[in-house]
Every structure is written in C-alpha cells, then in structure tokens.
Amino acid sequence: SILDGGRGGVPNKATWKEDTSIRRNLDEKQQQPLLRAAGSSSSGTSPLSLLNNNNKKQCNCVHCDTDEQCGGLWTGSVTPNRGDPKKLEKIHLLVSHCLHNLHWMTNFTKGYDISSVTVVSKCGKDVIGAPQGSKIIRLDNVGRCDHTYAYYLSHLPNYQHNLDAPTEHTPIESGDDKEIHVFLKDDRDETSIHQPGSWRSLQDMLRIASERGFVCGMRPSGFWTRQNKRKRVLLSAYHKTQRLSKFSLQKYESKVGRKKQAKYAALQSESDKKEEQPFQSEYKNFSEWQNAIPLELPHPVTEVCYGGSFASTTKNIKRQPLHVWQSMEQSLSRADNLEEGHFAERSWAGLMANPIKEYQIEALKEYSTEEVFVRNSICGAFAIPRNLRVMKAKLREKKEALEREDGEFLQELQEAEDSMS
C-alpha cells in the first residue's frame, strides 16, 4: 500500500481532518479578495488606500507555474523558469550503499562535472559500478542511509575547525551557496518508493537547489484515501510541525517486495549483522527524540523529504552547528533497523531548507483543504483533493483576470485624483 508507515511499515487506520465547508464555500472565499480590491463596503477600505498597499508580498498560487514567488511551493519546488544548475560550481555526491550496483549513476550524472563521489558501504559487499575516482568508505551496518548522511555531515571539512566548539555555528564563507551535496541511496528503482511520489532527476534537483538552497529527491504526488477509494488527494511537501512531532513507529517491515527482501536476507551474512537490537526506540514519539538530540524544526510549518534522498548547499548545511550532526550520528548507531532512522528522515528538510515566509505559510493553509494524519506514516501533511485543484485553477484564472481589470481601474482613479490636486 502507498500509505505504508515510515518507509513501508503498516499504518493504523488513517485519521482525516477534512473541512468540507471550505469546499462548499470555495467560490465565495475566492471572491472575497476581489470584493476588497473593488472597494466593497464590507471591507471598509478605500480603493486608493488599497492601491498603496499593492507592494505587500502575497502568493497568487502555490501549485502552479505562473507565480515566481510561490508557484512551486506546494511540492517544495520552484517555477520552471527559476533556478540554474550552472550556478553551482561544485557538485558532491554521497551514496549510501548496501547491496545494489551503481551503474545507474552513469546516466544519472550525464552532462555534469561531478567534483567528488563518496560511497559509504555498510553490508560488506563489493561496490560495483561506482564512477571512476569514487572514494569508498566502509562502516558497520547501522542506521541505514540516515546514519550514512549524519556521518558524512559530521565529517565535512567545512566543520573541522569547529571540533573544539561543536555547539557554535560555522561561519558562512564565500562560495558556500555554490557548492552542493547530493544525498542518495544505492537503489533508484521507482518500486522502492514507499510514500506517494516520484524521483527527481539530478538536473531538476540542482535547478531547484540552486534557487532554494535545498531540495527533496522525491516529488510528492497523490494517492487514494483509505476512507474513500474513489477520492484521490494531492500531498504537499509541507507538514504542520506540531502534528508531525506526534509521529512514532512501533515496527517496520519494508514493502519493497518479497523477492528483494529474500535477496537482502540471502546476501547479508551473520557476520554483517549487528547484535540484535529492538526496532522501537526509548522515545515516545518524534518530539521526544528531537529534544534529546537536541534539534528544532521550523514552526508552524516544516518541509519533509521522504525516500531517503535530498540535496543541500554547504551554506544551508551550516544552518546547523556541528553537534546536531554528531548527535544524530550517535543516535542512529544503536542498531541497523531502528525507529530513530524514521525520525531522522523527517528531519533533514527542516534542518537544512530555508524556512518559508509568513505569507507563504498562509497561502499553503488557504490552498489546503485537508490534513493527512497517519500516526506511523504521514503526519500532518497538507493535502487537497485532485478534482478540487482543477476547480481552484479555474477560479484563480478568473481572479487574475478581474484583478487586472481592477488594477487598471484603480490606476485611472489615481491619475484622475492627481490631475485634480
């Protein structure tokens, strides 16, 4: 099922928070800004005073290709005309390796000058297909890909002069925004995705990250709800932080398929396995683990990356002091398959992505009509029914046309007042 908890665990029955009144009154809600712009008596605001406030930032849409400030916000992206991979002067790739060959990297990196490739291999198997010149590091089989990422971040050269002061922030240096680190698992098969979404290409990741400083490797998409099999919702990359903090996972059984599971079990020898440790952590939920690290995610809304892949500039990595990465690395060393890994998965974007602005948060809330809450899977994600997106797009076009007319009228009114003064 596409609603499997965490990275494939079996979820409890979904609990939905759906405000159907928003959909019933959608047309009226969309009309309100137009009434205010026209100087309706209900707003109490004159057309001229509103004209002087037109410079205030706001989103016209969060799930479109036309609004340069907010158009790609829903999926943690940017509009197609924004971002340029050529802005990035250094591209570093990190691959968390266990069993799969890496021949796919040839096509994945085609057309790009890669500065370095680091492969962290944990299962004692040969690394096959890695690009020439790759640095191979072998570690104990603990913490899966999330431990690999925390290990890499803890040992970045940029942080080395902070070893004696790990709680201090590392100064931003010239060029940090032009150096990017791409975090990847060794398996890019579409069947390995457990949450609803699809892999982004390297080109798309670099383009988006060159503009935002960070990008998730997976683009969220839609799925059928368990309550209504005929209802398809579109997920956002953004979640309500407070709801997300309640996430917990009692057990994890991957749903990648019996053949892959059998292959993993056959290839992994007893000597590769860490002494058996329980999956469940000592923490009641995600919030308790955050406090223990300690780390803090943006409030009231945070971005979440599923799928174990993302990219960040050095500048954005430095948003966190060294001790955060060191504490995460230590926490993720407890066992191979562990609950803390799913906590970390939901932390990467919040720790490295730039927090969005207040007007963007309000736009996300206004666009969203539902909140997905499955305690052991997707907690607090904004969502919208797929057919409602089509309706909102039509209303937005109507609104933009009316606003253009209103703008011309207000301008003429201003000119008339100026000529009379």
Side-chain angles (χ1 to χ4, degrees):
S1 169
I2 206 162
L3 267 178
D4 290 337
R7 298 182 189 176
V10 181
N12 298 324
K13 185 176 180 181
T15 302
W16 292 85
K17 177 185 177 185
E18 179 178 355
D19 189 350
T20 54
S21 65
I22 294 180
R23 285 192 289 174
R24 288 198 301 269
N25 300 324
L26 177 63
D27 191 75
E28 178 183 349
K29 185 174 182 180
Q30 292 288 334
Q31 295 292 330
Q32 288 174 357
L34 306 181
L35 293 173
R36 290 195 295 271
S40 167
S41 58
S42 63
S43 69
T45 306
S46 71
L48 293 181
S49 64
L50 213 131
L51 180 67
N52 294 330
N53 290 329
N54 279 346
N55 291 328
K56 184 178 180 180
K57 284 188 176 181
Q58 61 180 1
C59 295
N60 292 322
C61 56
V62 295
H63 203 179
C64 65
D65 294 338
T66 56
D67 186 340
E68 291 196 0
Q69 290 295 323
C70 309
L73 191 62
W74 184 260
T75 57
S77 181
V78 293
T79 52
N81 62 323
R82 294 182 65 194
D84 183 1
K86 294 179 180 178
K87 293 180 181 178
L88 301 169
E89 299 174 355
K90 295 181 180 180
I91 303 172
H92 306 283
L93 304 185
L94 168 67
V95 181
S96 182
H97 173 262
C98 181
L99 302 175
H100 298 275
N101 72 64
L102 305 180
H103 292 305
W104 55 266
M105 295 189 69
T106 300
N107 288 330
F108 182 74
T109 60
K110 189 175 182 178
Y112 290 97
D113 183 13
I114 306 301
S115 302
S116 72
V117 177
T118 302
V119 179
V120 176
S121 186
K122 292 185 170 182
C123 299
K125 308 306 173 185
D126 292 337
V127 178
I128 300 173
Q132 187 175 3
S134 297
K135 179 180 181 181
I136 311 297
I137 300 174
R138 297 193 179 275
L139 297 179
D140 290 340
N141 188 19
V142 295
R144 303 198 173 180
C145 66
D146 297 290
H147 172 271
T148 299
Y149 302 159
Y151 168 86
Y152 178 85
L153 291 166
S154 297
H155 293 81
L156 276 181
N158 311 75
Y159 280 108
Q160 294 310 297
H161 62 279
N162 264 30
L163 290 177
D164 295 329
T167 60
E168 295 182 5
H169 280 80
T170 303
I172 302 298
E173 299 176 1
S174 175
D176 280 354
D177 59 338
K178 296 180 174 63
E179 181 178 47
I180 192 164
H181 305 261
V182 183
F183 299 74
L184 304 161
K185 294 197 295 186
D186 63 355
D187 185 8
R188 295 278 295 179
D189 194 315
E190 291 288 341
T191 62
S192 298
I193 298 177
H194 310 305
Q195 275 79 20
S198 58
W199 294 123
R200 286 183 165 116
S201 66
L202 179 61
Q203 179 179 358
D204 207 27
M205 291 178 71
L206 297 179
R207 180 183 65 84
I208 297 169
S210 70
E211 187 73 20
R212 301 181 70 233
F214 180 89
V215 63
C216 294
M218 193 178 83
R219 183 184 188 277
S221 61
F223 63 94
W224 302 102
T225 69
R226 291 196 170 199
Q227 285 76 3
N228 184 348
K229 297 296 184 181
R230 291 178 294 179
K231 179 181 176 184
R232 187 174 176 83
V233 298
L234 299 175
L235 284 180
S236 172
Y238 286 91
H239 296 51
K240 290 186 177 179
T241 311
Q242 185 174 5
R243 297 284 274 177
L244 179 66
S245 67
K246 299 182 184 299
F247 167 78
S248 63
L249 191 61
Q250 284 70 47
K251 64 178 181 178
Y252 171 68
E253 297 175 358
S254 176
K255 298 296 180 180
V256 298
R258 291 183 179 179
K259 289 185 178 180
K260 284 191 176 182
Q261 286 284 53
K263 180 180 179 182
Y264 184 93
L267 289 174
Q268 191 177 28
S269 67
E270 289 299 321
S271 61
D272 294 326
K273 297 179 181 179
K274 188 177 176 66
E275 183 180 348
E276 194 68 25
Q277 293 288 335
F279 169 82
Q280 196 167 2
S281 70
E282 62 180 298
Y283 308 105
K284 178 181 178 181
N285 53 32
F286 184 21
S287 178
E288 284 195 4
W289 181 79
Q290 291 178 59
N291 293 335
I293 293 297
L295 61 84
E296 184 176 357
L297 300 181
H299 280 267
V301 168
T302 186
E303 187 175 357
V304 175
C305 293
Y306 295 108
S309 178
F310 53 89
S312 176
T313 62
T314 299
K315 179 180 179 180
N316 279 56
I317 289 173
K318 287 182 177 180
R319 293 188 65 247
Q320 302 301 325
L322 176 61
H323 85 91
V324 170
W325 311 131
Q326 291 177 328
S327 295
M328 289 180 70
E329 179 188 359
Q330 182 178 2
S331 174
L332 295 166
S333 300
R334 179 179 65 82
D336 168 27
N337 184 21
L338 70 175
E339 185 181 17
E340 292 93 322
H342 299 267
F343 294 153
E345 178 185 22
R346 287 155 176 78
S347 303
W348 300 121
L351 293 173
M352 286 181 265
N354 296 320
I356 58 177
K357 307 297 183 183
E358 183 65 32
Y359 72 93
Q360 294 173 318
I361 294 174
E362 293 305 314
L364 283 172
K365 289 180 179 178
E366 182 176 340
Y367 185 74
S368 173
T369 61
E370 305 190 21
E371 177 187 333
V372 178
F373 185 79
V374 183
R375 185 176 298 277
N376 57 358
S377 181
I378 301 173
C379 293
F382 289 121
I384 183 173
R386 188 174 184 178
N387 60 347
L388 186 57
R389 185 194 177 190
V390 176
M391 185 190 307
K392 284 197 170 189
K394 292 179 179 178
L395 287 170
R396 186 175 65 247
E397 292 174 2
K398 181 178 179 181
K399 174 186 172 182
E400 290 173 350
L402 289 172
E403 285 178 338
R404 284 194 295 271
E405 295 177 6
D406 290 338
E408 294 173 359
F409 168 73
L410 292 173
Q411 186 63 40
E412 291 175 0
L413 192 61
Q414 181 69 63
E415 292 174 355
E417 185 179 79
D418 291 342
S419 64
M420 295 170 62
S421 60

